[in-house]
Amino acid sequence: MHNRVLKFRFTMFVFNLVYFLVLAIPTLALSSSSGKVFRSVNACPVASSIPSFNDSKLPNPFVFNNGHAVHTREAWDCRRRQISALIQGYEAGTLPPRPPHVSAAFSKSGTAATLNVTAGLTHTNQISFAPTITYPTGDPPAGGWPLVIAYDGLSIPIPPGIATMIYSNSQMAQQNDQSSRGQGLFYELYGQNATASSMTAWVWGISRIIDALELTPAANINLGRIAVTGCSRDGKGALMAGAFEERIALTIPQESGSGGDTCWRLSKFEQDSGNVVQEAVEIVQENVWFSTNFDNFVHNISVLPYDHHFLAGMIAPRAMISFENTDFVWLSPMSSFGCMTAAHTIWQALGVPDNHGFVQVGGHAHCAFPSTLNDQLFAFINKFLLGQNTNTSDILTTNGVFGNATWQPSDWITWSAHKLV
């Protein structure tokens, strides 16, 4: 009997100790994409909305949801999580985590290969898709080939020594018109009523591709040197992928326009100034790139507690360079330059301004990349994919062709880029 009492007391002691530790020590969670460790939700409160918010200027990215200032890199990690939750809550819909079942099959013939990706919630509820890879000739470098993943097809030149993958994002989530809502492989898995927009579903597909590459050493891909690119609507998608998938080293949106590297507030100002641009109220009627919830805010965008300088800033400190075309006014050229000027402050605050670039010219067709921009593009690719010591500083340029709109930074940016320690 005495032994039983001692055993019971010991068991209760262990139970109480474990219970105390669970309550006293914040739970740590792993990012589903990058493996980085973040503090718990209790230590970093996130919310999908801030009902009381209203600001006609570009919101300050260095302020938490509760109004407190961001001073450190660790605090920025938390702020980034808050931004992610807000963008999903207002315009993107929910991005599901890695599903329980992910597998890959790989086949290669010469320089052409296929990566068959299977992902599922159960053994019977699964989808598969098969992006193709084109490899350079010769033996792979130590660590594997760098890789550029292109939405639907390549529209930028790629220097030698880099593998390319074509991602059929419209197969993952259709983007024909409003009738495409809930159509595609993603919705076969998560249901037609999933809140994720088509662009969010595309991000999910990119993440599963990288999961599959991690499971496939035979693919000889350098997992630390992956880039994503796309043009126009696919440029919007590429920017989203870079923002939400931390395993992407370099993001290259091309002529993404409204809903991409522009800001909603600035596009509305441009429209009100007399330029015929695509703004929020129009874009939600065109396609399914955004969640249905976004319809509730497009007529009063000042209530959005973020704008797309936040979305681009989620990429920092990783690398991004975007390209825009002033010949097409509907791309909202003043908005894109102003928005990326605001986003640049985030890279500055993190001490890596050379990791962000923006180039805006005219004189070419939509999605036709002019060779005069090769130097800026290759500087970023050579540095962040090939590991070369190239100069990427001060690549934040425009030809200033903004039609009737005038960019005045002080009218929109009310904060300064103080260095985060």
Side-chain angles (χ1 to χ4, degrees):
M1 181 68 178
H2 179 69
N3 290 338
R4 289 181 180 177
V5 171
L6 289 177
K7 185 175 181 180
F8 174 79
R9 288 176 176 173
F10 178 76
T11 301
M12 290 304 297
F13 168 78
V14 172
F15 174 83
N16 288 329
L17 177 62
V18 171
Y19 183 75
F20 168 79
L21 291 174
V22 168
L23 289 179
I25 300 176
T27 305
L28 295 177
L30 288 177
S31 164
S32 63
S33 61
S34 68
K36 291 182 179 179
V37 177
F38 296 102
R39 295 187 182 276
S40 69
V41 172
N42 291 330
C44 178
V46 299
S48 60
S49 67
I50 305 178
S52 61
F53 190 90
N54 197 311
D55 191 351
S56 61
K57 299 181 184 297
L58 294 178
N60 184 349
F62 304 111
V63 175
F64 286 111
N65 290 354
N66 62 8
H68 294 166
V70 175
H71 292 295
T72 67
R73 289 172 176 267
E74 183 181 12
W76 175 255
D77 286 340
C78 172
R79 181 60 181 142
R80 184 183 179 280
R81 290 181 59 191
Q82 290 187 338
I83 293 170
S84 172
L86 290 171
I87 291 174
Q88 290 181 68
Y90 281 90
E91 72 173 61
T94 300
L95 174 62
R98 174 174 174 158
H101 303 279
V102 178
S103 60
F106 178 74
S107 61
K108 185 171 183 284
S109 176
T111 59
T114 300
L115 180 71
N116 194 291
V117 183
T118 299
L121 301 175
T122 67
H123 288 296
T124 56
N125 183 16
Q126 299 183 343
I127 60 168
S128 293
F129 59 106
T132 57
I133 306 174
T134 301
Y135 286 88
T137 56
D139 296 327
W145 297 107
L147 176 69
V148 173
I149 303 174
Y151 275 54
D152 275 334
L154 268 174
S155 54
I156 58 173
I158 302 297
I162 297 173
T164 57
M165 172 186 283
I166 304 303
Y167 170 44
S168 298
N169 52 296
S170 296
Q171 178 191 27
M172 184 60 61
Q174 291 181 18
Q175 54 167 335
N176 298 320
D177 50 34
Q178 286 288 355
S179 68
S180 296
R181 181 76 64 187
Q183 302 299 311
L185 290 174
F186 175 89
Y187 302 100
E188 291 179 17
L189 191 63
Y190 289 99
Q192 290 186 338
N193 293 325
T195 63
S197 68
S198 62
M199 288 203 294
T200 303
W202 300 342
V203 175
W204 182 91
I206 288 284
S207 294
R208 304 295 75 80
I209 287 172
I210 301 176
D211 290 343
L213 289 171
E214 289 177 342
L215 297 171
T216 313
N220 276 317
I221 295 299
N222 189 326
L223 299 172
R225 294 182 175 175
I226 295 175
V228 63
T229 188
C231 189
S232 196
R233 59 181 61 189
D234 293 332
K236 307 180 207 299
L239 176 58
M240 280 280 291
F244 284 93
E245 175 47 77
E246 293 183 79
R247 291 171 293 183
I248 293 172
L250 174 60
T251 303
I252 314 172
Q254 180 190 5
E255 301 184 30
S256 58
S258 290
D261 63 5
T262 65
C263 283
W264 299 119
R265 288 166 173 83
L266 296 179
S267 293
K268 183 181 187 304
F269 170 78
E270 229 178 324
Q271 180 77 18
D272 292 345
S273 298
N275 292 345
V276 180
V277 305
Q278 187 174 49
E279 57 174 327
V281 293
E282 191 276 335
I283 202 169
V284 295
Q285 301 174 52
E286 179 182 349
N287 218 301
V288 293
W289 301 316
F290 303 95
S291 70
T292 56
N293 191 47
F294 192 44
D295 296 358
N296 298 314
F297 307 102
V298 295
H299 291 283
N300 188 15
I301 56 175
S302 64
V303 302
L304 297 177
Y306 67 93
D307 215 313
H308 274 212
H309 60 306
F310 282 29
L311 176 67
M314 286 177 62
I315 297 171
R318 293 171 292 121
M320 170 186 169
I321 182 168
S322 56
F323 296 89
E324 282 292 349
N325 187 344
T326 56
D327 280 7
F328 296 87
V329 178
W330 51 266
L331 288 173
S332 204
M334 190 224 74
S335 180
S336 55
F337 179 70
C339 195
M340 291 303 97
T341 300
H344 193 68
T345 64
I346 298 173
W347 276 271
Q348 289 175 318
L350 290 169
V352 288
D354 294 356
N355 288 11
H356 178 235
F358 174 87
V359 182
Q360 186 176 51
V361 298
H364 61 280
H366 184 45
C367 292
F369 194 86
S371 60
T372 53
L373 301 184
N374 283 2
D375 286 349
Q376 295 97 322
L377 173 64
F378 289 175
F380 269 78
I381 291 177
N382 291 342
K383 182 174 184 177
F384 297 105
L385 294 190
L386 294 175
Q388 298 176 8
N389 186 24
T390 56
N391 182 13
T392 57
S393 63
D394 300 320
I395 303 179
L396 192 70
T397 64
T398 179
N399 61 6
V401 180
F402 299 151
N404 297 314
T406 300
W407 166 244
Q408 184 58 255
S410 60
D411 289 345
W412 299 97
I413 301 175
T414 59
W415 67 91
S416 58
H418 59 279
K419 189 171 183 179
L420 303 179
V421 296

